[in-house]
Amino acid sequence: MSKRYLSSTVLALPLAVAFLWMGSEALGRRSSPGPLAPDMAADTNIAVVNLDRLLDGTNETAKWKVHLTELERGLEEERKTKDAELKQLEEEIRKEPDAAKREILTDQGVRKKYLADEWLRLKMGEVDRERSLRWQSIYRSIRDEIKAVAEANNIDLVLVDDSIADVKVADKQNQSKENQALGQILSSKVLYASKRVDITDQVITRINNKTK
């Protein structure tokens, strides 16, 4: 009787060990992460651009500069004309001996000054709007052409290369030079980028080809 019990116990031990091993394997498979998807495991291609050059070094930027210069020059010339008219009216008021006529001219001068100030306010608003449209248009072109270059070269991510900028501080009443320097350092995005991954020239070429 004891021999049969011993033999059955000996046979049961390997089976129990086998079940325990199978269970631990299954648990390990459930707790360990699975393999990455093929596109997740692939290398990520990264490029950089010099944003200062893109904002200021294209044909589109040059065209906007010409447009804004002409707009501001025209505004300044018209402002000078209105100022000259007001000065002429002031001189007429000063020389007018008749009090009644002088009062009429003064009223005209006040109204003319009000209209000139209102005109200048509206024109300055137009100039400001045009300046805003300039940056919106240039940024849109930069973004679109970066996307085109990236897609053509299988680039997954494009960063602004700010590693080329030096830390600069100035005398400011509300901020210490230490805080200025530290703020610029902590806001840096790229500390080093090889020229090999810089696509700025390609982007500029594409923008210039569209704005000859």
Side-chain angles (χ1 to χ4, degrees):
M1 188 72 174
S2 59
K3 288 182 178 180
R4 285 200 299 271
Y5 176 76
L6 181 61
S7 62
S8 62
T9 302
V10 171
L11 289 173
L13 282 173
L15 290 174
V17 172
F19 280 122
L20 287 172
W21 179 81
M22 291 171 63
S24 63
E25 282 292 299
L27 181 62
R29 284 195 296 271
R30 286 197 299 271
S31 60
S32 60
L36 293 174
D39 54 344
M40 291 289 290
D43 292 336
T44 300
N45 295 321
I46 299 176
V48 298
V49 292
N50 183 327
L51 190 57
D52 288 341
R53 288 184 59 203
L54 292 177
L55 289 173
D56 197 49
T58 66
N59 289 343
E60 183 174 5
T61 300
K63 284 187 175 183
W64 272 105
K65 285 182 178 179
V66 171
H67 168 65
L68 289 171
T69 299
E70 292 176 350
L71 188 64
E72 291 167 357
R73 183 184 296 119
L75 171 62
E76 181 63 17
E77 290 176 356
E78 195 165 353
R79 186 189 66 79
K80 288 180 178 180
T81 299
K82 290 183 179 297
D83 285 347
E85 292 174 354
L86 285 171
K87 287 181 179 180
Q88 182 179 355
L89 186 56
E90 288 174 0
E91 186 68 16
E92 292 177 10
I93 294 171
R94 189 180 64 81
K95 292 181 178 180
E96 178 58 53
D98 186 276
K101 289 183 178 179
R102 191 164 58 247
E103 185 175 353
I104 293 173
L105 289 174
T106 301
D107 290 341
Q108 291 178 357
V110 170
R111 183 173 183 276
K112 200 176 189 69
K113 179 68 166 60
Y114 170 79
L115 291 175
D117 290 343
E118 189 66 13
W119 169 87
L120 182 61
R121 185 184 67 81
L122 293 174
K123 286 297 182 180
M124 291 299 294
E126 291 179 8
V127 172
D128 183 53
R129 184 171 63 251
E130 288 297 303
R131 289 173 176 167
S132 172
L133 289 173
R134 167 185 60 179
W135 295 122
Q136 293 178 52
S137 176
I138 292 173
Y139 175 71
R140 206 160 36 237
S141 296
I142 291 172
R143 184 186 57 194
D144 292 345
E145 298 313 322
I146 284 177
K147 179 182 177 182
V149 172
E151 290 178 345
N153 293 275
N154 296 319
I155 296 171
D156 303 297
L157 180 65
V158 179
L159 302 173
V160 174
D161 183 10
D162 52 8
S163 65
I164 55 180
D166 292 329
V167 175
K168 296 180 180 179
V169 296
D171 291 327
K172 295 182 179 180
Q173 293 182 349
N174 59 346
Q175 191 177 24
S176 68
K177 292 182 178 180
E178 178 187 7
N179 287 339
Q180 293 178 51
L182 187 58
Q184 293 175 52
I185 292 170
L186 293 178
S187 64
S188 299
K189 304 175 186 67
V190 177
L191 298 182
Y192 171 77
S194 168
K195 292 294 183 183
R196 185 172 57 86
V197 298
D198 192 317
I199 60 171
T200 305
D201 289 336
Q202 298 178 56
V203 177
I204 289 177
T205 298
R206 289 186 61 90
I207 295 175
N208 288 345
N209 287 339
K210 289 188 175 181
T211 54
K212 289 183 178 179

